[in-house]
Amino acid sequence: MTSLQERLTDGLYGLGWSTVKTLPEPVATRLGRTIADLAWKQRGKGVRRLESNYARVVPDATPERLAELTRAGMRSYLRYWMESFRLPVWSPERIRRGFHPKDLHFLTDGLAAGKGVVLALPHLANWDLAGAWVTTELRTPFTTVAERLKPETLYDRFVAYREGLGMEVLPHSGGSAFGTLARRLRDGGLVCLVADRDLSASGVEVTFFGETARMPAGPALLAQQTGALLLPVTLWYDDSPVMQGRVHPPIEVPQSGGRAEKTSVMTQALADAFATGVTEHPEDWHMLQRLWLADLDPSMDPRKGTP
């Protein structure tokens, strides 16, 4: 990305946060849907990748069904952005009634036990809203990690935005995030990580919808090293303004095996929980990037033979 493109990107996000948050909510909702439909019709790179990813999630979908699903996925994606641009001006009451999680006791019991909890989420619905709900309704601060974006001013915008919602945000790069997360967990704290796409190229290989993908090792390693609970969380939208969610049962640390083997087993269990949520609500999975190894390295595509 050139410096001009970086400045334009930063300016567009800044315009979103400064303008969209001033719109009445119904107007922002209609605007998001209009932008989503326009992007879907233009079939840019991100839309084509989303459709390709959905083809793996719903392998028996007809071309018409796949196109319909991708359109719904773009509308869900833009709902995420419209909500995120407006979250800083939502009242505490609006945040509280904006999310309805099921099986919350897995989280609250874990925190009450003082063990520390790692919540691991895929890119489903609005993870920022879920985080704001935790800090507002449960009055529980937490620590998360953010990818370093370019330009640096855009990364700073995202950090300020999330810190304004009550989150502690650490940079993904730099090497110190893991140690800080472990300290928070040993103190009985909460860590929330979006964990369905590896950003380090050194993640754990898992089977995801029948093919190999990489997911981050961090959640499993943190649970092993600190004794914290590892809880998958899935989110989805329905036809109401309220986002839905589910806290899944804890992923246990295996009793036998080395660290790498335990990490592999636990990360696969995370992937399976994520797959359950994506299967039930594929249109709310906002994966507009390459994920499977066959897409990252076409020579690994089993449909084209093993290299």
Side-chain angles (χ1 to χ4, degrees):
M1 185 181 291
T2 66
S3 60
L4 176 59
Q5 289 174 320
E6 290 177 356
R7 290 197 300 272
L8 287 172
T9 299
D10 180 51
L12 287 172
Y13 279 104
L15 182 64
W17 267 301
S18 64
T19 302
V20 174
K21 68 182 181 182
T22 66
L23 298 175
E25 194 158 335
V27 175
T29 299
R30 289 195 299 271
L31 175 62
R33 180 163 291 201
T34 299
I35 295 172
D37 289 349
L38 179 61
W40 173 74
K41 289 177 182 177
Q42 291 181 336
R43 289 188 57 79
K45 182 179 179 181
V47 173
R48 296 196 306 274
R49 176 55 53 189
L50 182 66
E51 185 173 271
S52 173
N53 290 338
Y54 285 161
R56 282 182 164 93
V57 172
V58 190
D60 58 348
T62 64
E64 294 77 16
R65 167 61 179 146
L66 202 55
E68 176 186 320
L69 181 59
T70 305
R71 184 181 189 183
M74 289 303 298
R75 287 183 171 186
S76 175
Y77 184 51
L78 263 294
R79 175 173 171 176
Y80 160 79
W81 278 113
M82 292 298 110
E83 287 178 348
S84 295
F85 287 143
R86 293 178 53 77
L87 265 176
V89 297
W90 278 14
S91 68
E93 177 57 29
R94 177 66 182 89
I95 292 173
R96 290 188 185 100
R97 60 184 173 84
F99 179 41
H100 181 244
K102 299 173 175 61
D103 298 325
L104 187 65
H105 63 92
F106 290 120
L107 171 58
T108 53
D109 290 351
L111 291 173
K115 296 179 61 175
V117 176
V118 180
L119 295 180
L121 307 88
H123 286 80
L124 276 168
N126 192 337
W127 47 97
D128 285 329
L129 172 55
W133 187 91
V134 167
T135 60
T136 303
E137 175 66 17
L138 301 185
R139 299 187 179 183
T140 301
F142 66 87
T143 305
T144 189
V145 174
E147 179 183 3
R148 276 204 175 276
L149 302 170
K150 291 185 178 182
E152 191 74 16
T153 51
L154 179 57
Y155 171 76
D156 292 341
R157 286 186 192 274
F158 274 95
V159 170
Y161 156 65
R162 290 181 171 132
E163 287 180 343
L165 298 175
M167 312 175 193
E168 178 187 22
V169 182
L170 307 176
H172 180 269
S173 59
S176 62
F178 188 91
T180 302
L181 295 173
R183 287 194 295 274
R184 299 292 183 268
L185 292 168
R186 291 191 181 102
D187 290 339
L190 177 63
V191 165
C192 300
L193 301 171
V194 179
D196 58 342
R197 179 170 173 259
D198 178 53
L199 295 175
S200 67
S202 60
V204 179
E205 290 192 3
V206 297
T207 300
F208 194 58
F209 290 97
E211 293 190 41
T212 303
R214 287 196 192 100
M215 293 188 181
L221 287 172
L222 286 167
Q224 290 177 60
Q225 293 193 18
T226 68
L229 285 181
L230 175 55
L231 301 176
V233 177
T234 53
L235 309 170
W236 67 93
Y237 292 127
D238 56 18
D239 294 330
S240 77
V242 180
M243 184 176 71
Q244 306 296 317
R246 174 174 292 110
V247 182
H248 296 252
I251 291 176
E252 303 292 342
V253 178
Q255 295 297 312
S256 61
R259 185 175 71 171
E261 184 179 353
K262 291 179 179 180
T263 301
S264 177
V265 171
M266 296 172 72
T267 306
Q268 182 62 61
L270 266 184
D272 293 342
F274 294 166
T276 297
V278 174
T279 298
E280 293 174 349
H281 305 279
E283 69 279 4
D284 292 322
W285 189 44
H286 307 152
M287 186 55 67
L288 280 73
Q289 299 85 20
R290 298 174 189 267
L291 178 71
W292 283 273
L293 295 194
D295 292 333
L296 296 169
D297 179 3
S299 68
M300 295 294 294
D301 191 337
R303 295 165 296 188
K304 299 179 181 178
T306 303

